[in-house]
Amino acid sequence: MIKHNIRTFAFSIIGLAFFVYAVLFLITQNLESIDFHKALTHISTTITINILLWVIFIKWAWKLKIFYPWLVQVPDLSGKWEGTLKSNWDGTPQEAIKTEVAISQSFLHIQVIIKTGESRSYSIGTSFDIDEERGYQQLFYSYLNTPKASVRNRSEIHYGTTLLNFEGFNVNTLEGEYWTSRKTTGEIELKKIKE
């Protein structure tokens, strides 16, 4: 699991609130005769501005490299990826299957969609495992795979789990393995497509 630095988040929230309040106070007050009523009204304005700034952070700004890794511990994996799958579907190594992957990610959520020539997979649960002490940077996700109707006589609908390894925060390659409820396993290698 990710070890979030709660202390850093707390100091960031409180520090930003004090900074915004101080700026409002200095802009609107005459320091020789302070208006305490006006100073109290700045509290609600400060809260409103802070909420707007945190909404912007959660929607877009968390992707900025300035926040890695002191505040945001996960890289932005969103985008299009392509690569290959290798399965042991019938007990023997199979030829590599070309695959396309679309990852959509926000600060609080990540969705993985995989498409091959015969099926589509949609993630139903995702989690990062980032532990600097053990040297792990991984994305786990469980998925539901739905093959095309024309191939379901040999490839049924099934569930699976994938583990993808990566390095650093500017991630361009993912590689790992997967397991399915059909008792098959395989390897996956992906490269990010530059847009």
Side-chain angles (χ1 to χ4, degrees):
M1 301 301 285
I2 302 170
K3 294 181 179 178
H4 290 290
N5 191 343
I6 303 301
R7 177 184 268 171
T8 303
F9 274 104
F11 281 130
S12 298
I13 291 168
I14 293 167
L16 182 62
F18 276 114
F19 176 76
V20 169
Y21 183 83
V23 169
L24 287 173
F25 185 85
L26 292 172
I27 289 173
T28 60
Q29 290 286 344
N30 178 357
L31 297 180
E32 294 177 2
S33 61
I34 295 173
D35 183 348
F36 289 103
H37 181 271
K38 189 184 282 187
L40 287 174
T41 62
H42 293 329
I43 293 173
S44 61
T45 306
T46 299
I47 291 170
T48 302
I49 291 171
N50 274 275
I51 289 171
L52 288 173
L53 290 173
W54 282 104
V55 167
I56 290 168
F57 174 81
I58 289 171
K59 288 265 189 189
W60 302 286
W62 70 273
K63 297 179 181 185
L64 299 174
K65 301 302 180 205
I66 192 171
F67 297 115
Y68 292 109
W70 67 275
L71 187 61
V72 177
Q73 285 84 28
V74 299
D76 177 17
L77 301 179
S78 59
K80 296 191 177 187
W81 301 73
E82 60 183 18
T84 57
L85 299 170
K86 292 180 183 175
S87 174
N88 70 345
W89 179 67
D90 65 355
T92 59
Q94 302 288 307
E95 287 188 26
I97 301 168
K98 288 185 179 179
T99 186
E100 297 174 3
V101 177
I103 299 177
S104 57
Q105 183 179 356
S106 68
F107 183 66
L108 302 172
H109 179 70
I110 185 167
Q111 175 75 44
V112 182
I113 300 172
I114 294 184
K115 185 172 79 169
T116 68
E118 293 187 350
S119 68
R120 280 183 183 256
S121 299
Y122 296 90
S123 62
I124 53 177
T126 57
S127 177
F128 282 98
D129 182 14
I130 297 175
D131 189 331
E132 291 180 12
E133 294 173 9
R134 295 182 299 153
Y136 288 161
Q137 288 184 291
Q138 302 172 322
L139 171 67
F140 288 96
Y141 66 91
S142 295
Y143 62 87
L144 174 63
N145 180 273
T146 308
K148 292 179 178 177
S150 59
V151 299
R152 284 194 199 151
N153 60 327
R154 61 179 171 78
S155 181
E156 66 220 33
I157 296 172
H158 60 277
Y159 289 95
T161 299
T162 301
L163 177 156
L164 294 172
N165 298 294
F166 57 88
E167 291 183 13
F169 292 103
N170 188 19
V171 180
N172 292 310
T173 60
L174 298 168
E175 59 180 32
E177 52 191 292
Y178 64 91
W179 310 264
T180 73
S181 58
R182 299 187 299 183
K183 298 183 180 177
T184 59
T185 62
E187 298 175 359
I188 181 169
E189 295 181 1
L190 300 170
K191 287 187 178 180
K192 192 166 191 177
I193 301 172
K194 293 183 180 179
E195 297 180 13

